[in-house]
Coordinates of all heavy atoms in Angstrom, one line a residue:
K188 N -159.7 -170.4 -114.2 CA -159.7 -170.7 -112.8 C -160.1 -169.4 -112.0 O -159.8 -168.3 -112.3 CB -158.3 -171.1 -112.3 CG -157.8 -172.4 -112.9 CD -156.4 -172.8 -112.4 CE -156.0 -174.1 -112.9 NZ -154.6 -174.5 -112.4
K189 N -160.9 -169.7 -110.9 CA -161.3 -168.6 -110.1 C -160.1 -168.1 -109.2 O -159.3 -168.9 -108.8 CB -162.5 -169.0 -109.2 CG -163.7 -169.4 -110.0 CD -164.8 -169.8 -109.0 CE -166.1 -170.1 -109.8 NZ -167.2 -170.5 -108.9
K190 N -160.1 -166.8 -109.0 CA -159.0 -166.3 -108.1 C -159.3 -166.7 -106.7 O -160.4 -166.6 -106.2 CB -159.0 -164.7 -108.2 CG -158.6 -164.2 -109.6 CD -158.5 -162.7 -109.6 CE -158.1 -162.2 -110.9 NZ -158.1 -160.7 -110.9
T191 N -158.2 -167.2 -106.1 CA -158.4 -167.7 -104.7 C -157.8 -166.8 -103.7 O -157.9 -167.0 -102.5 CB -157.6 -169.1 -104.6 OG1 -156.3 -168.9 -105.0 CG2 -158.3 -170.1 -105.5
G192 N -157.2 -165.6 -104.1 CA -156.7 -164.7 -103.1 C -157.7 -164.1 -102.2 O -158.9 -163.9 -102.6
R193 N -157.4 -163.7 -101.1 CA -158.3 -163.1 -100.1 C -158.5 -161.7 -100.5 O -157.6 -161.0 -100.9 CB -157.7 -163.2 -98.7 CG -157.6 -164.6 -98.2 CD -157.1 -164.6 -96.8 NE -157.0 -166.0 -96.2 CZ -156.5 -166.2 -95.0 NH1 -156.1 -165.2 -94.2 NH2 -156.4 -167.5 -94.6
P194 N -159.7 -161.2 -100.3 CA -160.0 -159.8 -100.6 C -159.2 -158.9 -99.6 O -159.0 -159.2 -98.5 CB -161.5 -159.7 -100.3 CG -161.8 -160.8 -99.4 CD -160.9 -161.9 -99.8
E195 N -158.8 -157.7 -100.1 CA -158.1 -156.8 -99.3 C -158.9 -156.2 -98.2 O -160.1 -155.9 -98.3 CB -157.6 -155.6 -100.2 CG -156.6 -156.1 -101.2 CD -156.0 -154.9 -102.0 OE1 -156.4 -153.7 -101.6 OE2 -155.3 -155.0 -103.0
K196 N -158.3 -156.1 -97.0 CA -159.0 -155.5 -95.9 C -158.9 -154.0 -95.9 O -157.8 -153.5 -96.3 CB -158.3 -156.0 -94.6 CG -158.5 -157.5 -94.3 CD -157.9 -157.9 -93.0 CE -158.1 -159.4 -92.7 NZ -157.5 -159.8 -91.4
R197 N -159.9 -153.4 -95.6 CA -159.9 -151.9 -95.5 C -159.2 -151.4 -94.3 O -159.3 -152.0 -93.2 CB -161.4 -151.4 -95.5 CG -162.1 -151.6 -96.8 CD -163.5 -151.0 -96.7 NE -164.3 -151.2 -97.9 CZ -165.5 -150.8 -98.1 NH1 -166.1 -150.2 -97.1 NH2 -166.1 -151.1 -99.2
K198 N -158.4 -150.4 -94.5 CA -157.6 -149.8 -93.4 C -158.6 -149.0 -92.5 O -159.4 -148.3 -92.9 CB -156.5 -148.9 -93.9 CG -155.5 -149.7 -94.7 CD -154.4 -148.7 -95.2 CE -153.3 -149.5 -95.9 NZ -152.2 -148.6 -96.4
N199 N -158.3 -149.2 -91.2 CA -159.1 -148.4 -90.2 C -158.6 -147.0 -90.1 O -157.4 -146.8 -89.8 CB -159.0 -149.1 -88.9 CG -160.0 -148.6 -87.9 OD1 -160.6 -147.5 -88.1 ND2 -160.2 -149.3 -86.8
S200 N -159.5 -146.0 -90.3 CA -159.0 -144.6 -90.3 C -158.8 -144.1 -88.8 O -158.3 -143.0 -88.6 CB -160.1 -143.7 -91.0 OG -161.3 -143.8 -90.3
G201 N -159.3 -144.9 -87.9 CA -159.2 -144.4 -86.5 C -160.3 -143.6 -86.0 O -160.4 -143.3 -84.8
K202 N -161.2 -143.2 -86.9 CA -162.4 -142.4 -86.5 C -163.4 -143.3 -85.9 O -163.7 -144.4 -86.3 CB -163.0 -141.7 -87.7 CG -162.0 -140.7 -88.3 CD -162.7 -140.0 -89.5 CE -161.8 -138.9 -90.0 NZ -162.4 -138.2 -91.2
V203 N -164.1 -142.8 -84.8 CA -165.1 -143.6 -84.2 C -166.5 -143.2 -84.8 O -166.8 -142.0 -84.9 CB -165.1 -143.3 -82.6 CG1 -166.3 -144.0 -82.0 CG2 -163.8 -143.6 -82.0
K204 N -167.2 -144.2 -85.2 CA -168.5 -144.0 -85.8 C -169.5 -143.8 -84.7 O -169.5 -144.5 -83.7 CB -168.9 -145.1 -86.7 CG -168.1 -145.3 -88.0 CD -168.6 -146.4 -88.8 CE -167.8 -146.5 -90.1 NZ -168.3 -147.6 -91.0
T205 N -170.3 -142.7 -84.9 CA -171.4 -142.5 -83.9 C -172.7 -142.5 -84.6 O -172.8 -142.3 -85.8 CB -171.2 -141.1 -83.2 OG1 -171.2 -140.1 -84.2 CG2 -169.9 -141.1 -82.5
K206 N -173.8 -142.7 -83.8 CA -175.1 -142.7 -84.4 C -175.5 -141.3 -84.6 O -174.9 -140.3 -84.1 CB -176.1 -143.4 -83.4 CG -175.8 -144.9 -83.3 CD -176.8 -145.5 -82.4 CE -176.6 -147.0 -82.3 NZ -177.5 -147.7 -81.5

Side-chain angles (χ1 to χ4, degrees):
K188 293 183 179 180
K189 295 180 180 179
K190 293 182 179 180
T191 56
R193 294 180 179 179
E195 293 183 3
K196 292 183 179 180
R197 291 183 180 179
K198 293 182 179 180
N199 191 343
S200 62
K202 294 182 179 179
V203 178
K204 291 183 179 180
T205 59
K206 293 185 179 180

